Amino acid sequence: MALIGMMGSGKSTVGFWLARSEGLRFVDLDAAIEERQDRSISEIFDADGEGRFRDIEQEVLDQCLKSSEPLVVSCGGGIVLRPENRARLRDRAWVCWLRANIETLGHRVRFGDSRPLLGDDPIADLTAISAARSEFYTETAHGIVDVDGLEAEQVAEQIRRVWPRPVSTP
Ligand code: S3P
């Protein structure tokens, strides 16, 4: 299963809870990238630019999607930018879009780690990015959960309700 959605939509926290409750391995794609590169996302953006970050992101996603072990994967918000990623996610995973309004996102990113795509006016940036990506999230997702006003565990519960469990999963 893969979780997609804007930065601040809660993918990492929800993915962690979901994996734990389902007894599945959890992969946070941003954390996997940082571990593999031994540097932070911001450092990758600063030193090598967004294009290089997207290349690494695509490689790590491909590895996850080839895994024979069932995983819960939390993707970075921009995973849907590349058509190859959208197609592979749709083909090889069950994809859930954690959809949030701008107020929710703005509130959450304020308390989060540094995000290289957000500048001095994060609400304006989130609004523009969300508008530009919305069609890609729609195209990629098999299921949608609206997360506004919900705690991470409640979101995980909503996902469990719409997730068509693989037959082999106990
Ligand atoms: C990005 C979102 C971030 C991270 C990078 C780019 C984006 O992940 O991958 O800063 O393009 O939306 P989160 O969605 O986990 O914050």
Side-chain angles (χ1 to χ4, degrees), residues 1 93-96 142-143 159-167 169:
M1 178 197 307
W94 183 80
V95 185
C96 189
H142 298 97
I159 296 171
R160 252 183 247 113
R161 285 192 195 158
V162 288
W163 178 37
R165 260 153 232 273
V167 176
T169 302

Side-chain angles (χ1 to χ4, degrees), residues 40-70:
S40 70
I41 303 289
S42 295
E43 285 168 338
I44 301 171
F45 266 74
D46 286 348
D48 298 339
E50 182 175 349
R52 175 72 189 130
F53 170 76
R54 297 295 172 203
D55 289 341
I56 303 165
E57 184 180 49
Q58 184 171 347
E59 281 169 31
V60 177
L61 174 69
D62 280 345
Q63 276 177 2
C64 288
L65 293 175
K66 281 181 194 152
S67 166
S68 53
E69 184 186 359

Side-chain angles (χ1 to χ4, degrees), residues 92-169:
R92 300 186 199 161
W94 183 80
V95 185
C96 189
W97 175 16
L98 304 195
R99 187 167 60 182
N101 66 33
I102 302 298
E103 288 71 30
T104 300
L105 299 175
H107 182 71
R108 291 195 185 151
V109 297
R110 224 172 292 150
F111 300 108
D113 298 330
S114 72
R115 284 172 159 108
L117 292 181
L118 300 183
D120 294 341
D121 187 350
I123 296 293
D125 293 335
L126 287 167
T127 304
I129 296 169
S130 177
R133 289 183 185 165
S134 177
E135 66 175 299
F136 296 148
Y137 292 133
T138 306
E139 174 191 323
T140 311
H142 298 97
I144 302 176
V145 168
D146 287 307
V147 304
D148 302 308
L150 299 183
E151 298 294 331
E153 288 174 72
Q154 295 173 305
V155 176
E157 181 52 38
Q158 296 287 324
I159 296 171
R160 252 183 247 113
R161 285 192 195 158
V162 288
W163 178 37
R165 260 153 232 273
V167 176
S168 58
T169 302

